[in-house]
Amino acid sequence: MGERSCMGSIGISVLKEETNMLKGIAASQGIAIAKVYKLEQPVISIEKKEAVVEEELQRLDAALAKTVADIERIREIASKQLAEEELAIFDAHLMMANDPEFKGQIEEMIRGEGVNADYAADFVGRMTVQMFESMDNEYFKERAADVKDVTFRLNCNLAGVIIPDLATLDEPVVVVAEDLTPSDTGSLNKEFARGFVTEIGGRTSHSAIMARSLELPAVVGCSGILETAKANDMIIMDAIEGVVILNPTAEQIEEYEAKQAAFLEEKKALLTLKDAESKSLDGHKVLLVGNIGSPDDLEGVIANGGEGVGLFRTEFLYMQSENDFPSEEVQFEAYKKVVEGMNGKPVVIRTLDIGGDKKLNYYSFDAEMNPFLGVRAIRFCLNNHEVFRTQLRALLRASAFGKLCIMFPMIATMQEFRDAKKIYNEERRALIDKGITVGDVEVGIMIEIPAAAVMADRLAKEVDFFSIGTNDLIQYSMAADRMSEKVSYLYQPLNPAILRLVKMAIDGAHANGKWCGMCGEMAGDELAAPLLLGLGLDEFSMSASSVLKTRKLINGLSYAEMKEVAEKAINLDTMEEVVELVQSTINK
Ligand code: PEP
Ligand code: MG
């Protein structure tokens, strides 16, 4: 046991280290105390054996029946939290598991060769996968994935091995996994999942962002958790400090139950600020808005007093779509729901930001050595005009229903903005010519590439607004992969280098009469907010769960004083010095 300092995102606190404690990154605040549920794909070994035909046919029947029942049960549970089109995958799996031809081929092999059902099922499954994969057709390639999944489930049932499944949780647990995919987080049964701990990832990895949207406590980048935690161990996860405690003592449980109660109490107290303005002590107003990944997240933004939406990450619409890019109609309905739902408050919707770590089932990206530096976001859209135009039409049509701002992600050069804006103007003109109503839309860009921050004063002449994407801006400025916990120490929003880039963007916007927001995770960081206020940031966009906390903080600060503090901060040498400066200011 010993005292040590524990770096959260950038917050520093002193923590008593215990022997049963592991450290990670607090990605979504809260405390959970429950049993461990390990989300690990089981490993099964399948051997070819001589077997009694009748017995094997019976085993196959039973395992297939259980496979069908499992899929039906998962579909039933998932149908309570997922939209109809997202359930299509379960229907495809059911079709496969009920397919008489698939079953017939396995039976034929058992009878013909006298082998065990496990071997025959695996063999037929692999042959079918190969056949589908060799077809030059996206639809059949996807069926290959379905066959793999169903065969794996069938083989697990034959071997009597249970496959973990987040949709079927039926008691309170903390999920422990390597990482969670968007479909894992989508199928998470929120009634029983009290939080999750992942082995890899950083504060801005997508599972961390999803956890904040779901308001689910999460500790990510917790190296060693998979090896140390056993299924059903008791676990305390403190996603405020970024630590987990395995097999806690009664004393530790009591301590953290008290901490959890205090956290929930504070959260409740913050609700009194729900309808308040976000205004410094000396009357400087800012806008505190929410980041969302789907129209369903709007509820959280409204419940937490968000004054609008500062970032709708539309890529989730594309990632959840099963067989093709979502149609103009599907997109229009989603965007309209958000724009209308905010009732005249501003909504910033980002055009498709796909590529990097975000892939699509129905589209094969060309292999690249460094996908994060490759054809992603606006680069993808400028190479795939029809995909881009469809989205722009859906957005423009939705603009008639409220106050819409559209922004392009990953703009590196003025030329990219001009090219994107030209396409936008063409689509707008075409809709108007057809007599379709479109609203007054502001068109802006994300500042998430250092080149754009440096050129902000020029870019601001042509764009309507900026939104600073610090997750990528920091990744690209520090040359540090945002997914890698090994270099997560370089995620330094309070490094003077980052503050200078942020200042360039804000000053560039203001010099041209434009507004500047921030939708990266830095906007919701308690130590960064005072500096961002001082630097003149107009709009802070964050996960809904951070809005009220940030409002309380800003409403207690002096803008004039924070301007001076920010000026001092950008002239310091290190992040640690900036942290000290901010802490000594806000704790005065
Ligand atoms: C960012 O980069 O800061 C951002 C908001 O975009 P994303 O996290 O979706 O890349
Ligand atoms: Mg980004």
Side-chain angles (χ1 to χ4, degrees):
M1 280 217 284
E3 299 285 316
R4 65 161 179 174
S5 102
C6 156
M7 303 280 293
S9 58
I10 46 177
I12 294 181
S13 65
V14 173
L15 197 78
K16 212 163 54 147
E17 193 176 308
E18 311 280 352
T19 44
N20 54 351
M21 194 181 256
L22 285 175
K23 198 186 147 327
I25 298 163
S28 173
Q29 289 211 332
I31 290 175
I33 306 169
K35 281 197 215 164
V36 168
Y37 181 89
K38 278 183 98 170
L39 184 70
E40 273 184 315
Q41 211 54 326
V43 182
I44 43 172
S45 74
I46 299 159
E47 284 168 38
K48 186 175 185 179
K49 290 182 194 153
E50 269 180 38
V52 181
V53 170
E54 273 320 306
E55 278 174 17
E56 293 308 302
L57 291 175
Q58 272 174 23
R59 282 184 66 226
L60 176 67
D61 269 350
L64 264 175
K66 178 157 172 19
T67 302
V68 171
D70 286 350
I71 302 169
E72 278 171 347
R73 186 170 42 98
I74 296 168
R75 192 194 188 286
E76 167 68 22
I77 296 167
S79 69
K80 297 194 181 105
Q81 15 197 34
L82 298 181
E84 199 54 37
E85 66 265 20
E86 294 158 18
L87 297 172
I89 183 139
F90 300 110
D91 296 332
H93 286 192
L94 272 177
M95 212 158 82
M96 178 73 215
N98 281 316
D99 182 7
E101 209 179 309
F102 179 60
K103 185 181 178 199
Q105 283 177 15
I106 304 172
E107 286 174 338
E108 209 177 292
M109 187 164 180
I110 295 173
R111 286 201 186 92
E113 300 189 22
V115 290
N116 52 330
D118 316 56
Y119 180 78
D122 183 56
F123 185 88
V124 171
R126 275 189 291 119
M127 287 301 115
T128 318
V129 167
Q130 260 178 30
M131 182 189 72
F132 280 142
E133 276 178 347
S134 68
M135 293 181 184
D136 196 16
N137 173 310
E138 280 306 316
Y139 176 81
F140 286 114
K141 287 205 164 119
E142 255 174 55
R143 298 290 72 80
D146 294 339
V147 179
K148 254 187 222 164
D149 275 14
V150 172
T151 313
F152 179 70
R153 187 170 287 285
L154 174 60
N155 272 116
C156 284
N157 283 334
L158 280 164
V161 170
I162 294 168
I163 304 176
D165 198 309
L166 294 178
T168 59
L169 299 176
D170 56 4
E171 59 173 345
V173 294
V174 167
V175 177
V176 171
E178 168 87 0
D179 194 12
L180 296 184
T181 62
S183 72
D184 287 333
T185 37
S187 64
L188 210 64
N189 182 332
K190 281 186 264 170
E191 194 187 339
F192 296 113
R194 296 289 148 91
F196 64 77
V197 185
T198 64
E199 177 86 20
I200 63 161
R203 239 191 92 72
T204 60
S205 57
H206 284 94
S207 53
I209 290 169
M210 288 296 267
R212 288 190 286 276
S213 293
L214 295 166
E215 299 198 38
L216 204 62
V219 172
V220 299
C222 187
S223 186
I225 187 72
L226 274 180
E227 200 189 326
T228 325
K230 306 274 171 292
N232 295 321
D233 277 355
M234 272 307 280
I235 184 170
I236 295 176
M237 62 174 294
D238 175 348
I240 300 168
E241 298 284 0
V243 294
V244 301
I245 300 176
L246 286 165
N247 297 312
T249 60
E251 204 187 345
Q252 283 172 321
I253 292 184
E254 203 178 313
E255 181 193 338
Y256 277 90
E257 275 173 352
K259 201 168 170 184
Q260 186 180 41
F263 174 79
L264 295 175
E265 199 50 46
E266 192 192 328
K267 216 171 145 183
K268 209 164 115 199
L270 282 173
L271 280 174
T272 54
L273 291 175
K274 186 171 163 274
D275 299 316
E277 281 184 320
S278 314
K279 190 162 79 176
S280 69
L281 291 171
D282 44 353
H284 180 77
K285 268 196 219 167
V286 295
L287 222 51
L288 296 188
V289 296
N291 288 351
I292 62 170
S294 89
D296 296 342
D297 298 341
L298 211 57
E299 212 177 293
V301 175
I302 295 168
N304 284 286
E307 298 165 272
V309 168
L311 168 65
F312 177 2
R313 289 183 163 93
T314 58
E315 62 270 19
F316 291 110
L317 263 177
Y318 290 73
M319 286 157 83
Q320 279 157 6
S321 185
E322 268 295 305
N323 299 319
D324 204 349
F325 288 95
S327 67
E328 181 181 323
E329 224 36 51
V330 165
Q331 293 191 55
F332 166 68
E333 287 303 331
Y335 305 150
K336 175 170 172 264
K337 196 168 165 191
V338 175
V339 173
E340 223 171 25
M342 279 323 285
N343 230 340
K345 288 181 178 156
V347 171
V348 182
I349 304 187
R350 172 171 82 182
T351 58
L352 180 59
D353 182 357
I354 204 73
D357 62 331
K358 297 177 229 168
K359 301 276 186 276
L360 301 171
N361 284 336
Y362 46 84
Y363 181 87
S364 312
F365 289 85
D366 288 338
E368 292 181 284
M369 291 286 277
N370 292 300
F372 267 108
L373 302 180
V375 186
R376 60 172 285 208
I378 197 67
R379 303 167 185 184
F380 174 86
C381 288
L382 291 176
N383 276 339
N384 293 275
H385 282 195
E386 270 324 302
V387 173
F388 192 37
R389 285 180 186 277
T390 305
Q391 181 170 39
L392 290 171
R393 281 195 298 275
L395 285 166
L396 279 159
R397 285 171 53 203
S399 71
F401 297 86
K403 174 78 201 99
L404 177 65
C405 308
I406 297 177
M407 71 176 167
F408 304 134
M410 296 279 298
I411 292 285
T413 68
M414 179 70 100
Q415 193 55 49
E416 282 176 336
F417 173 70
R418 288 180 182 156
D419 292 346
K421 182 76 190 284
K422 180 167 174 281
I423 298 175
Y424 164 86
N425 282 336
E426 286 168 8
E427 289 304 327
R428 183 181 176 89
R429 183 77 260 152
L431 287 176
I432 293 171
D433 287 349
K434 278 192 204 151
I436 294 170
T437 316
V438 295
D440 280 332
V441 180
E442 291 186 38
V443 181
I445 60 170
M446 289 192 69
I447 300 283
E448 49 187 346
I449 295 182
V454 172
M455 287 295 281
D457 60 331
R458 309 293 308 171
L459 287 160
K461 295 191 187 308
E462 299 193 23
V463 309
D464 293 328
F465 68 93
F466 290 149
S467 184
I468 309 173
T470 49
N471 306 339
D472 279 317
L473 184 64
I474 298 171
Q475 148 164 276
Y476 296 129
S477 305
M478 296 291 189
D481 185 345
R482 63 194 264 189
M483 294 299 290
S484 160
E485 75 281 3
K486 293 219 171 67
V487 291
S488 67
Y489 75 96
L490 285 168
Y491 175 74
Q492 298 190 359
L494 266 62
N495 187 297
I498 303 300
L499 296 175
R500 287 176 187 210
L501 289 169
V502 167
K503 181 172 162 49
M504 276 184 188
I506 298 173
D507 290 351
H510 290 174
N512 291 282
K514 309 291 166 63
W515 61 272
C516 183
M518 179 180 285
C519 57
E521 296 305 310
M522 179 178 179
D525 197 296
E526 286 164 70
L527 288 181
L531 295 172
L532 297 173
L533 176 72
L535 289 171
L537 191 73
D538 302 294
E539 179 234 46
F540 297 57
S541 191
M542 59 196 72
S543 40
S545 56
S546 300
V547 169
L548 291 171
K549 223 171 38 189
T550 311
R551 180 166 298 148
K552 182 172 175 210
L553 179 68
I554 285 180
N555 291 6
L557 295 172
S558 147
Y559 174 52
E561 187 188 354
M562 290 313 125
K563 268 210 256 195
E564 282 172 24
V565 175
E567 188 56 35
K568 270 192 208 155
I570 60 168
N571 288 305
L572 291 173
D573 294 331
T574 65
M575 173 192 75
E576 286 76 8
E577 287 171 14
V578 178
V579 168
E580 221 179 290
L581 172 70
V582 178
Q583 281 184 329
S584 63
T585 309
I586 58 178
N587 295 332
K588 261 197 318 217

